Amino acid sequence: MHEFSIAASLVEKLSEFVRENPDKRICEVRLEIGELSHIEHDQLHFCYESITKETPLEGSSLKIDKVEAFVECPHCSYRGRPKYWDDILAGAPVVTFQCPSCGKTVGETQGKECAIKSVKFSQIQPVPS
Amino acid sequence: MANEGGIQATIEASPDEIYDIELEHSLLEANEKLAKENRALLDQHGTTAIDFMGAIGSGKTTLIAKLVEKLKDKMGVAVFNGDATTSNDADAIAKQNVPVVQIATINGCHLDANLVGKGLRKIDIDKVKLLFIENIGNLICPAEFPLGSKARVVVVSVTEGPWMVRKHPHMFLGAQLVVINKIDMAKAMEVSVEDLASDVHKLKPDIKVIPTSCKTGEGIEKVAAALLAV
Ligand SMILES: Nc1nc2c(ncn2[C@@H]2O[C@H](COP(=O)(O)OP(=O)(O)OP(=O)(O)O)[C@@H](O)[C@H]2O)c(=O)[nH]1
Ligand SMILES: [Mg+2]
Ligand SMILES: [Zn+2]
Protein backbone atom coordinates (compact mmCIF):
# COMPACT_ATOMS: atom_id res chain seq x y z
CA MET A 1 0.00 0.00 0.00
CA HIS A 2 2.08 2.89 -1.30
CA GLU A 3 -0.67 5.31 -0.22
CA PHE A 4 0.73 4.95 3.28
CA SER A 5 4.20 6.19 2.25
CA ILE A 6 2.59 9.08 0.42
CA ALA A 7 0.35 10.02 3.35
CA ALA A 8 3.39 9.81 5.65
CA SER A 9 5.41 12.26 3.56
CA LEU A 10 2.36 14.52 3.33
CA VAL A 11 1.98 14.58 7.11
CA GLU A 12 5.71 15.16 7.52
CA LYS A 13 5.52 18.26 5.29
CA LEU A 14 2.42 19.58 7.06
CA SER A 15 3.93 18.99 10.51
CA GLU A 16 6.88 21.08 9.41
CA PHE A 17 4.44 23.89 8.59
CA VAL A 18 2.72 23.51 11.96
CA ARG A 19 6.05 23.63 13.81
CA GLU A 20 7.10 26.78 11.98
CA ASN A 21 3.69 28.38 12.49
CA PRO A 22 2.54 27.42 15.97
CA ASP A 23 -0.19 30.08 15.86
CA LYS A 24 -1.90 28.52 12.84
CA ARG A 25 -4.15 25.53 12.58
CA ILE A 26 -4.43 23.64 9.31
CA CYS A 27 -8.04 22.99 8.33
CA GLU A 28 -7.67 21.82 4.75
CA VAL A 29 -4.96 20.54 2.47
CA ARG A 30 -5.39 20.31 -1.28
CA LEU A 31 -3.47 17.79 -3.36
CA GLU A 32 -3.06 17.35 -7.09
CA ILE A 33 -2.93 13.76 -8.22
CA GLY A 34 -2.32 12.79 -11.81
CA GLU A 35 -4.43 10.34 -13.75
CA LEU A 36 -1.31 8.29 -14.47
CA SER A 37 -0.25 7.92 -10.87
CA HIS A 38 -1.84 4.87 -9.43
CA ILE A 39 -3.02 6.27 -6.15
CA GLU A 40 -6.31 5.18 -4.63
CA HIS A 41 -8.00 8.28 -3.29
CA ASP A 42 -9.99 6.39 -0.66
CA GLN A 43 -6.89 4.62 0.60
CA LEU A 44 -5.07 7.92 0.82
CA HIS A 45 -7.92 9.49 2.81
CA PHE A 46 -7.94 6.53 5.13
CA CYS A 47 -4.16 6.65 5.69
CA TYR A 48 -4.25 10.41 6.21
CA GLU A 49 -6.95 10.11 8.86
CA SER A 50 -5.16 7.34 10.72
CA ILE A 51 -1.80 9.11 10.76
CA THR A 52 -3.20 12.47 11.85
CA LYS A 53 -5.32 11.07 14.68
CA GLU A 54 -4.43 12.74 17.99
CA THR A 55 -2.06 15.18 16.32
CA PRO A 56 -2.56 18.93 15.66
CA LEU A 57 -3.66 17.92 12.16
CA GLU A 58 -6.57 15.83 13.37
CA GLY A 59 -9.84 16.82 11.74
CA SER A 60 -8.22 18.66 8.84
CA SER A 61 -9.73 17.72 5.53
CA LEU A 62 -7.91 16.34 2.55
CA LYS A 63 -9.12 17.47 -0.87
CA ILE A 64 -7.85 15.83 -4.02
CA ASP A 65 -7.87 17.43 -7.47
CA LYS A 66 -7.34 15.08 -10.37
CA VAL A 67 -4.89 16.11 -13.10
CA GLU A 68 -5.66 14.79 -16.59
CA ALA A 69 -3.05 12.87 -18.54
CA PHE A 70 -1.42 14.42 -21.60
CA VAL A 71 0.93 12.69 -24.01
CA GLU A 72 3.32 13.57 -26.77
CA CYS A 73 4.33 11.41 -29.74
CA PRO A 74 7.98 11.34 -30.81
CA HIS A 75 7.01 9.68 -34.11
CA CYS A 76 4.39 12.12 -35.39
CA SER A 77 3.37 15.55 -34.20
CA TYR A 78 0.53 14.44 -31.91
CA ARG A 79 0.19 16.26 -28.60
CA GLY A 80 -2.90 15.89 -26.49
CA ARG A 81 -5.01 13.50 -24.49
CA PRO A 82 -4.03 9.81 -24.57
CA LYS A 83 -5.93 7.05 -26.26
CA TYR A 84 -8.19 5.06 -23.94
CA TRP A 85 -8.82 1.36 -24.11
CA ASP A 86 -12.47 0.76 -23.43
CA ASP A 87 -12.60 -2.74 -22.17
CA ILE A 88 -15.40 -4.07 -20.04
CA LEU A 89 -13.07 -6.49 -18.30
CA ALA A 90 -10.86 -3.68 -17.06
CA GLY A 91 -13.76 -2.07 -15.21
CA ALA A 92 -12.95 1.48 -16.24
CA PRO A 93 -11.36 2.88 -19.42
CA VAL A 94 -7.64 2.28 -19.38
CA VAL A 95 -5.09 4.91 -20.42
CA THR A 96 -2.74 3.56 -23.08
CA PHE A 97 0.51 4.86 -24.54
CA GLN A 98 -0.66 4.15 -28.08
CA CYS A 99 -0.58 7.27 -30.23
CA PRO A 100 -4.18 8.21 -31.25
CA SER A 101 -2.79 9.50 -34.52
CA CYS A 102 -0.06 7.11 -35.73
CA GLY A 103 -0.38 4.13 -33.37
CA LYS A 104 3.19 4.11 -32.09
CA THR A 105 4.32 4.58 -28.47
CA VAL A 106 3.88 8.00 -26.89
CA GLY A 107 5.38 9.48 -23.73
CA GLU A 108 3.55 11.35 -20.99
CA THR A 109 3.88 15.09 -20.51
CA GLN A 110 1.36 15.40 -17.68
CA GLY A 111 -0.51 13.13 -15.32
CA LYS A 112 2.07 11.70 -12.93
CA GLU A 113 1.77 14.45 -10.34
CA CYS A 114 1.34 13.74 -6.67
CA ALA A 115 1.84 17.04 -4.91
CA ILE A 116 0.55 19.36 -2.24
CA LYS A 117 -1.00 22.40 -3.92
CA SER A 118 -2.24 24.55 -1.10
CA VAL A 119 -3.08 24.63 2.55
CA LYS A 120 -5.93 26.42 4.28
CA PHE A 121 -5.38 27.46 7.87
CA SER A 122 -6.95 29.55 10.55
CA GLN A 123 -5.25 31.74 13.08
CA ILE A 124 -5.38 30.39 16.59
CA GLN A 125 -6.68 33.08 18.95
CA PRO A 126 -4.34 33.79 21.81
CA VAL A 127 -5.79 32.66 25.13
CA PRO A 128 -6.85 35.80 27.05
CA SER A 129 -4.84 36.12 30.25
CA MET B 1 6.45 28.52 -9.62
CA ALA B 2 7.80 25.37 -8.09
CA ASN B 3 10.97 25.72 -6.12
CA GLU B 4 12.40 23.31 -3.58
CA GLY B 5 8.97 22.84 -2.07
CA GLY B 6 9.41 25.59 0.46
CA ILE B 7 6.62 27.83 1.58
CA GLN B 8 5.87 30.29 -1.22
CA ALA B 9 4.13 33.03 0.71
CA THR B 10 2.85 33.61 4.18
CA ILE B 11 -0.16 35.75 4.76
CA GLU B 12 -0.63 37.74 7.93
CA ALA B 13 -3.90 36.51 9.28
CA SER B 14 -6.43 38.10 11.54
CA PRO B 15 -8.62 35.89 13.78
CA ASP B 16 -11.75 34.07 12.65
CA GLU B 17 -10.74 33.84 9.06
CA ILE B 18 -9.41 31.10 6.95
CA TYR B 19 -6.36 31.65 4.83
CA ASP B 20 -4.90 29.92 1.87
CA ILE B 21 -1.28 29.48 0.90
CA GLU B 22 0.24 27.86 -2.12
CA LEU B 23 2.57 25.11 -1.03
CA GLU B 24 4.00 23.44 -4.09
CA HIS B 25 5.59 20.27 -2.85
CA SER B 26 5.84 16.94 -4.64
CA LEU B 27 5.26 13.95 -2.40
CA LEU B 28 7.26 11.62 -4.62
CA GLU B 29 10.15 14.01 -5.03
CA ALA B 30 12.32 12.58 -2.23
CA ASN B 31 12.33 9.13 -3.84
CA GLU B 32 12.87 10.54 -7.32
CA LYS B 33 15.89 12.50 -6.16
CA LEU B 34 17.46 9.41 -4.58
CA ALA B 35 16.69 7.37 -7.71
CA LYS B 36 18.62 9.92 -9.77
CA GLU B 37 21.53 9.69 -7.33
CA ASN B 38 21.53 5.88 -7.61
CA ARG B 39 21.50 6.15 -11.37
CA ALA B 40 24.41 8.60 -11.37
CA LEU B 41 26.42 6.30 -9.11
CA LEU B 42 25.67 3.28 -11.33
CA ASP B 43 26.54 5.16 -14.52
CA GLN B 44 29.76 6.39 -13.02
CA HIS B 45 30.83 2.79 -12.43
CA GLY B 46 29.53 1.52 -15.76
CA THR B 47 26.94 -0.67 -14.05
CA THR B 48 23.53 -1.35 -15.56
CA ALA B 49 20.71 -2.03 -13.09
CA ILE B 50 17.52 -3.80 -14.17
CA ASP B 51 14.42 -3.78 -11.98
CA PHE B 52 12.10 -6.83 -12.12
CA MET B 53 8.48 -6.29 -11.16
CA GLY B 54 5.49 -8.61 -11.24
CA ALA B 55 2.92 -10.46 -9.18
CA ILE B 56 3.81 -12.82 -6.33
CA GLY B 57 5.02 -16.07 -7.80
CA SER B 58 5.24 -14.91 -11.42
CA GLY B 59 8.80 -16.27 -11.56
CA LYS B 60 11.02 -13.24 -10.89
CA THR B 61 13.52 -15.11 -8.71
CA THR B 62 13.63 -18.16 -10.97
CA LEU B 63 14.16 -16.02 -14.06
CA ILE B 64 16.90 -13.96 -12.39
CA ALA B 65 18.61 -17.18 -11.27
CA LYS B 66 18.56 -18.46 -14.88
CA LEU B 67 19.95 -15.18 -16.19
CA VAL B 68 22.68 -15.16 -13.54
CA GLU B 69 23.63 -18.69 -14.50
CA LYS B 70 23.92 -17.66 -18.15
CA LEU B 71 25.85 -14.45 -17.61
CA LYS B 72 28.01 -14.79 -14.51
CA ASP B 73 31.01 -16.27 -16.31
CA LYS B 74 30.98 -13.50 -18.89
CA MET B 75 30.64 -10.48 -16.62
CA GLY B 76 30.25 -9.35 -13.05
CA VAL B 77 26.66 -9.74 -11.88
CA ALA B 78 24.95 -9.07 -8.56
CA VAL B 79 21.39 -9.40 -7.28
CA PHE B 80 19.25 -7.39 -4.88
CA ASN B 81 16.27 -9.28 -3.52
CA GLY B 82 13.40 -7.27 -2.19
CA ASP B 83 11.59 -9.54 0.17
CA ALA B 84 9.06 -8.54 2.74
CA THR B 85 9.73 -11.23 5.29
CA THR B 86 11.95 -14.14 4.35
CA SER B 87 15.37 -14.63 2.83
CA ASN B 88 14.28 -17.58 0.65
CA ASP B 89 14.80 -15.73 -2.60
CA ALA B 90 18.20 -14.36 -1.60
CA ASP B 91 19.28 -17.83 -0.47
CA ALA B 92 18.22 -19.35 -3.77
CA ILE B 93 20.44 -16.97 -5.71
CA ALA B 94 23.37 -16.92 -3.29
CA LYS B 95 23.91 -20.58 -4.17
CA GLN B 96 25.32 -19.37 -7.46
CA ASN B 97 28.18 -17.59 -5.75
CA VAL B 98 27.39 -14.08 -6.84
CA PRO B 99 26.96 -11.09 -4.49
CA VAL B 100 23.39 -10.97 -3.17
CA VAL B 101 21.84 -8.33 -0.96
CA GLN B 102 18.51 -9.03 0.66
CA ILE B 103 16.49 -5.88 1.13
CA ALA B 104 13.70 -6.17 3.67
CA THR B 105 11.08 -3.46 3.30
CA ILE B 106 9.17 -2.18 6.27
CA ASN B 107 5.65 -2.14 4.89
CA GLY B 108 6.38 -4.86 2.36
CA CYS B 109 4.81 -3.20 -0.62
CA HIS B 110 7.64 -1.88 -2.76
CA LEU B 111 11.36 -1.22 -2.85
CA ASP B 112 12.35 2.42 -2.82
CA ALA B 113 15.39 4.31 -4.02
CA ASN B 114 16.67 4.84 -0.48
CA LEU B 115 16.84 1.09 0.23
CA VAL B 116 18.47 0.38 -3.13
CA GLY B 117 21.00 3.14 -2.45
CA LYS B 118 21.91 1.45 0.82
CA GLY B 119 22.31 -1.83 -1.05
CA LEU B 120 24.67 -0.18 -3.55
CA ARG B 121 26.98 0.74 -0.67
CA LYS B 122 27.15 -2.93 0.37
CA ILE B 123 28.61 -4.30 -2.86
CA ASP B 124 31.87 -3.75 -4.71
CA ILE B 125 30.15 -1.90 -7.51
CA ASP B 126 33.27 -1.70 -9.70
CA LYS B 127 33.13 -5.47 -10.15
CA VAL B 128 29.45 -5.46 -11.16
CA LYS B 129 28.46 -4.89 -14.76
CA LEU B 130 24.85 -6.02 -14.46
CA LEU B 131 22.72 -5.65 -11.33
CA PHE B 132 19.40 -7.46 -11.10
CA ILE B 133 16.92 -5.96 -8.67
CA GLU B 134 13.92 -8.09 -7.72
CA ASN B 135 11.11 -5.85 -6.56
CA ILE B 136 8.38 -6.98 -4.17
CA GLY B 137 5.68 -9.19 -5.71
CA ASN B 138 3.07 -6.49 -6.21
CA LEU B 139 1.48 -5.16 -9.39
CA ILE B 140 0.65 -1.69 -8.27
CA CYS B 141 2.95 -0.03 -5.77
CA PRO B 142 6.43 -0.43 -7.34
CA ALA B 143 5.38 1.57 -10.41
CA GLU B 144 5.25 4.76 -8.35
CA PHE B 145 8.79 4.37 -7.01
CA PRO B 146 11.65 4.47 -9.50
CA LEU B 147 14.87 2.97 -8.14
CA GLY B 148 17.47 4.33 -10.52
CA SER B 149 17.54 1.30 -12.81
CA LYS B 150 18.15 1.65 -16.54
CA ALA B 151 15.22 -0.58 -17.46
CA ARG B 152 12.17 -1.98 -15.72
CA VAL B 153 11.01 -5.46 -16.64
CA VAL B 154 7.54 -6.80 -15.87
CA VAL B 155 7.32 -10.57 -15.42
CA VAL B 156 3.82 -11.93 -15.92
CA SER B 157 3.01 -15.61 -16.03
CA VAL B 158 0.29 -17.47 -17.85
CA THR B 159 -0.85 -18.88 -14.49
CA GLU B 160 -2.19 -15.44 -13.62
CA GLY B 161 -4.95 -15.96 -16.18
CA PRO B 162 -5.82 -14.41 -19.51
CA TRP B 163 -6.86 -10.94 -18.31
CA MET B 164 -4.02 -9.90 -16.12
CA VAL B 165 -2.58 -7.28 -18.50
CA ARG B 166 -5.81 -5.37 -18.94
CA LYS B 167 -6.60 -5.63 -15.25
CA HIS B 168 -3.21 -4.24 -14.22
CA PRO B 169 -2.27 -1.89 -17.06
CA HIS B 170 -0.42 0.56 -14.91
CA MET B 171 2.79 -1.38 -14.40
CA PHE B 172 3.28 -1.98 -18.14
CA LEU B 173 3.22 1.70 -19.10
CA GLY B 174 6.43 2.34 -17.17
CA ALA B 175 8.26 -0.81 -18.33
CA GLN B 176 10.85 -1.29 -21.07
CA LEU B 177 10.52 -5.06 -21.41
CA VAL B 178 7.77 -7.59 -20.69
CA VAL B 179 8.43 -11.27 -20.05
CA ILE B 180 5.52 -13.71 -20.33
CA ASN B 181 6.73 -16.59 -18.19
CA LYS B 182 5.63 -20.19 -17.56
CA ILE B 183 4.64 -20.72 -21.20
CA ASP B 184 5.11 -24.45 -20.56
CA MET B 185 1.84 -24.15 -18.59
CA ALA B 186 -0.08 -22.17 -21.23
CA LYS B 187 -1.92 -25.12 -22.64
CA ALA B 188 -3.00 -26.52 -19.28
CA MET B 189 -4.11 -23.05 -18.19
CA GLU B 190 -5.92 -22.45 -21.50
CA VAL B 191 -4.24 -19.08 -21.76
CA SER B 192 -3.05 -17.66 -25.07
CA VAL B 193 0.45 -16.18 -24.93
CA GLU B 194 -0.28 -14.29 -28.18
CA ASP B 195 -3.37 -12.65 -26.66
CA LEU B 196 -1.41 -11.57 -23.59
CA ALA B 197 1.30 -10.10 -25.83
CA SER B 198 -1.29 -8.31 -27.94
CA ASP B 199 -2.84 -6.79 -24.79
CA VAL B 200 0.60 -5.48 -23.80
CA HIS B 201 1.04 -3.94 -27.25
CA LYS B 202 -2.34 -2.21 -27.01
CA LEU B 203 -0.95 -0.40 -23.97
CA LYS B 204 2.51 0.27 -25.38
CA PRO B 205 2.93 -0.62 -29.06
CA ASP B 206 6.74 -0.64 -29.30
CA ILE B 207 7.58 -2.57 -26.13
CA LYS B 208 9.50 -5.83 -26.49
CA VAL B 209 7.61 -8.89 -25.22
CA ILE B 210 9.49 -12.16 -24.72
CA PRO B 211 7.70 -15.44 -23.87
CA THR B 212 9.79 -17.66 -21.59
CA SER B 213 9.76 -20.88 -19.66
CA CYS B 214 12.19 -21.19 -16.81
CA LYS B 215 11.39 -24.88 -16.85
CA THR B 216 12.42 -25.65 -20.45
CA GLY B 217 14.78 -22.68 -20.79
CA GLU B 218 12.90 -21.32 -23.78
CA GLY B 219 13.34 -17.56 -24.30
CA ILE B 220 15.94 -17.06 -21.53
CA GLU B 221 18.69 -16.38 -24.07
CA LYS B 222 16.51 -13.71 -25.69
CA VAL B 223 15.89 -12.00 -22.35
CA ALA B 224 19.63 -11.97 -21.63
CA ALA B 225 20.33 -10.44 -25.04
CA ALA B 226 17.61 -7.83 -24.59
CA LEU B 227 18.99 -6.82 -21.20
CA LEU B 228 22.53 -6.50 -22.51
CA ALA B 229 21.22 -4.19 -25.22
CA VAL B 230 19.47 -1.67 -22.95
N1 LIG C 1 6.17 -24.47 -14.74
C1 LIG C 1 6.89 -23.38 -14.48
N2 LIG C 1 7.09 -22.99 -13.20
C2 LIG C 1 7.83 -21.88 -13.00
C3 LIG C 1 8.40 -21.12 -14.05
N3 LIG C 1 9.06 -20.08 -13.52
C4 LIG C 1 8.93 -20.16 -12.17
N4 LIG C 1 8.18 -21.25 -11.85
C5 LIG C 1 7.77 -21.67 -10.49
O1 LIG C 1 6.90 -20.71 -9.95
C6 LIG C 1 7.07 -20.61 -8.54
C7 LIG C 1 7.34 -19.18 -8.13
O2 LIG C 1 8.54 -18.74 -8.71
P1 LIG C 1 9.44 -17.61 -8.09
O3 LIG C 1 10.61 -17.41 -8.99
O4 LIG C 1 9.71 -17.85 -6.66
O5 LIG C 1 8.46 -16.37 -8.23
P2 LIG C 1 8.67 -14.89 -7.71
O6 LIG C 1 8.06 -14.01 -8.73
O7 LIG C 1 10.10 -14.65 -7.38
O8 LIG C 1 7.80 -14.89 -6.40
P3 LIG C 1 7.83 -13.85 -5.15
O9 LIG C 1 9.26 -13.47 -4.92
O10 LIG C 1 7.23 -14.62 -4.04
O11 LIG C 1 6.97 -12.71 -5.57
C8 LIG C 1 8.22 -21.55 -8.20
O12 LIG C 1 7.67 -22.75 -7.74
C9 LIG C 1 8.93 -21.75 -9.53
O13 LIG C 1 9.57 -22.99 -9.63
C10 LIG C 1 8.18 -21.58 -15.39
O14 LIG C 1 8.61 -20.99 -16.39
N5 LIG C 1 7.41 -22.71 -15.55
MG1 LIG D 1 10.96 -13.95 -5.66
ZN1 LIG E 1 2.17 9.46 -33.31
Side-chain angles (χ1 to χ4, degrees):
Chain A
M1 216 184 27
H2 55 304
E3 285 80 3
F4 188 83
S5 329
I6 290 163
S9 62
L10 168 60
V11 169
E12 194 179 308
K13 188 72 196 170
L14 296 177
S15 305
E16 199 177 287
F17 177 86
V18 171
R19 269 198 308 278
E20 285 165 8
N21 302 276
D23 59 335
K24 297 180 173 64
R25 200 181 70 84
I26 292 182
C27 36
E28 182 189 293
V29 50
R30 195 168 278 275
L31 303 185
E32 263 186 354
I33 295 189
E35 190 181 356
L36 293 171
S37 71
H38 205 81
I39 295 163
E40 292 276 349
H41 298 193
D42 288 350
Q43 293 259 26
L44 193 57
H45 276 116
F46 173 78
C47 293
Y48 183 75
E49 272 168 37
S50 2
I51 302 176
T52 54
K53 208 160 255 158
E54 284 159 34
T55 76
L57 291 166
E58 179 164 16
S60 57
S61 72
L62 183 63
K63 297 268 165 66
I64 299 176
D65 295 331
K66 200 167 168 180
V67 184
E68 286 186 332
F70 273 85
V71 298
E72 186 174 67
C73 181
H75 308 283
C76 70
S77 57
Y78 182 82
R79 293 192 102 212
R81 305 272 293 128
K83 181 174 175 168
Y84 285 82
W85 179 6
D86 283 301
D87 185 282
I88 41 161
L89 287 161
V94 169
V95 180
T96 77
F97 277 176
Q98 193 180 124
C99 179
S101 163
C102 76
K104 291 185 178 156
T105 302
V106 297
E108 85 266 348
T109 54
Q110 181 184 299
K112 294 203 74 160
E113 342 0 61
C114 173
I116 308 177
K117 273 311 283 178
S118 65
V119 169
K120 273 194 168 65
F121 59 85
S122 59
Q123 197 74 17
I124 297 169
Q125 299 219 26
V127 185
S129 51
Chain B
M1 252 204 324
N3 59 10
E4 290 306 295
I7 288 153
Q8 311 281 305
T10 359
I11 300 159
E12 273 310 303
S14 58
D16 296 328
E17 287 185 64
I18 287 179
Y19 297 88
D20 233 326
I21 54 162
E22 298 283 312
L23 190 79
E24 301 266 352
H25 175 74
S26 165
L27 297 170
L28 297 170
E29 184 183 86
N31 184 72
E32 270 153 21
K33 187 164 161 276
L34 291 171
K36 285 202 185 101
E37 285 174 21
N38 289 348
R39 181 58 180 278
L41 181 69
L42 289 159
D43 285 349
Q44 198 187 322
H45 292 266
T47 309
T48 301
I50 314 280
D51 175 14
F52 288 73
M53 308 180 288
I56 292 179
S58 65
K60 298 177 291 300
T61 305
T62 317
L63 178 65
I64 291 170
K66 294 273 175 204
L67 291 167
V68 166
E69 201 180 311
K70 240 185 190 44
L71 297 169
K72 69 177 178 186
D73 295 332
K74 297 188 193 133
M75 66 192 70
V77 300
V79 181
F80 287 1
N81 273 113
D83 197 318
T85 46
T86 68
S87 68
N88 290 349
D89 285 358
D91 296 345
I93 303 222
K95 278 191 199 125
Q96 304 214 37
N97 259 323
V98 297
V100 177
V101 177
Q102 193 210 340
I103 303 180
T105 62
I106 300 158
N107 52 17
C109 101
H110 58 266
L111 285 182
D112 61 38
N114 176 41
L115 294 169
V116 168
K118 283 185 182 163
L120 290 176
R121 275 163 212 113
K122 293 266 191 304
I123 57 170
D124 186 356
I125 190 167
D126 279 322
K127 295 206 175 105
V128 178
K129 182 91 190 78
L130 203 53
L131 171 65
F132 298 99
I133 304 173
E134 179 179 348
N135 218 310
I136 309 291
N138 181 326
L139 283 159
I140 300 161
C141 305
E144 237 65 59
F145 295 86
L147 306 177
S149 59
K150 204 160 187 183
R152 309 196 89 177
V153 180
V154 178
V155 183
V156 296
S157 63
V158 301
T159 48
E160 289 153 58
W163 313 123
M164 87 80 55
V165 177
R166 51 185 85 191
K167 283 184 180 166
H168 299 278
H170 190 63
M171 185 128 291
F172 297 90
L173 294 180
Q176 281 73 41
L177 174 68
V178 174
V179 172
I180 300 178
N181 190 32
K182 306 197 192 180
I183 54 169
D184 56 286
M185 309 271 284
K187 209 159 171 215
M189 294 300 298
E190 297 183 21
V191 167
S192 156
V193 175
E194 291 73 29
D195 289 354
L196 279 173
S198 124
D199 278 4
V200 173
H201 285 132
K202 273 198 193 116
L203 293 171
K204 209 171 178 181
D206 311 344
I207 197 170
K208 193 169 213 149
V209 177
I210 305 178
T212 61
S213 165
C214 293
K215 200 164 178 189
T216 67
E218 197 180 338
I220 307 289
E221 194 76 60
K222 282 191 190 144
V223 177
L227 296 183
L228 292 177
V230 298

